[in-house]
Amino acid sequence: MIHIDLQQDFSESALLKRAARFTLEAESVPDDSDMTIALTDDAQLHELNLDYLGVDAPTDVLSFPADEEDPETGIRYLGDILISIPRAKQQAEAAGHPLEAEVQLLVIHGTLHLLGHDHAGMDEKARMWEAQGAIMSKLGLGHIKIQDA
């Protein structure tokens, strides 16, 4: 199950679940896996970015992989994704596409991180950007440019 925590106004939560499901399906993750997507603000992502990554700046998306199994149900909990809606709005405006498209990209990006993808090295980045691009195309968002991180 994909849980949505709306700490910011965003009326299209069905799009978030759809983007996460497409990503999980593309990565062959079982349907009964759980994860949380929290829509928040720059202040929270700035604080978490500093606390966990030592980066004293806000960011658009952070992923916190858990990969734990509920001992009672056996359901796998993948982790949490936090997205700054104000930052996503800025990025969408700068790129000239809708906020909904930007947030879906961030969900895909964050979900791939939960599943072990990274973009620290050139090879890793190429694989991650290829996976993102393929998922975005399946969602009908192939025209959205993936920003360099």
Side-chain angles (χ1 to χ4, degrees):
M1 176 177 282
I2 300 164
H3 307 276
I4 306 291
D5 179 4
L6 294 173
Q7 300 170 23
Q8 291 282 305
D9 185 35
F10 188 80
S11 61
E12 301 294 334
S13 60
L15 292 176
L16 306 180
K17 289 182 178 184
R18 183 172 178 252
R21 280 193 196 101
F22 270 67
T23 307
L24 297 175
E25 181 181 292
E27 295 290 307
S28 302
V29 175
D31 289 340
D32 63 351
S33 299
D34 285 347
M35 62 185 283
T36 299
I37 301 168
L39 303 182
T40 186
D41 59 19
D42 278 353
Q44 185 174 17
L45 266 81
H46 187 159
E47 181 179 334
L48 292 169
N49 209 15
L50 181 59
D51 290 349
Y52 289 95
L53 299 175
V55 178
D56 191 9
T59 189
D60 52 3
V61 60
L62 287 172
S63 298
F64 295 94
D67 198 20
E68 298 173 350
E69 191 172 294
D70 184 313
E72 293 179 16
T73 65
I75 295 175
R76 180 178 169 201
Y77 187 73
L78 301 172
D80 304 322
I81 299 169
L82 289 92
I83 296 171
S84 169
I85 292 298
R87 174 104 8 206
K89 283 180 185 174
Q90 290 172 350
Q91 291 175 177
E93 288 172 6
H97 56 250
L99 172 62
E100 294 79 9
E102 184 71 22
V103 176
Q104 287 177 86
L105 167 59
L106 295 175
V107 167
I108 293 165
H109 187 89
T111 302
L112 287 171
H113 274 305
L114 291 183
L115 301 175
H117 283 266
D118 201 356
H119 46 83
M122 293 303 291
D123 290 342
E124 294 171 315
K125 181 177 178 176
R127 282 191 295 276
M128 187 167 184
W129 262 234
E130 182 179 344
Q132 284 180 161
I135 296 161
M136 292 186 65
S137 289
K138 286 183 182 179
L139 284 169
L141 298 171
H143 62 285
I144 302 299
K145 182 182 181 321
I146 298 172
Q147 302 291 323
D148 273 343

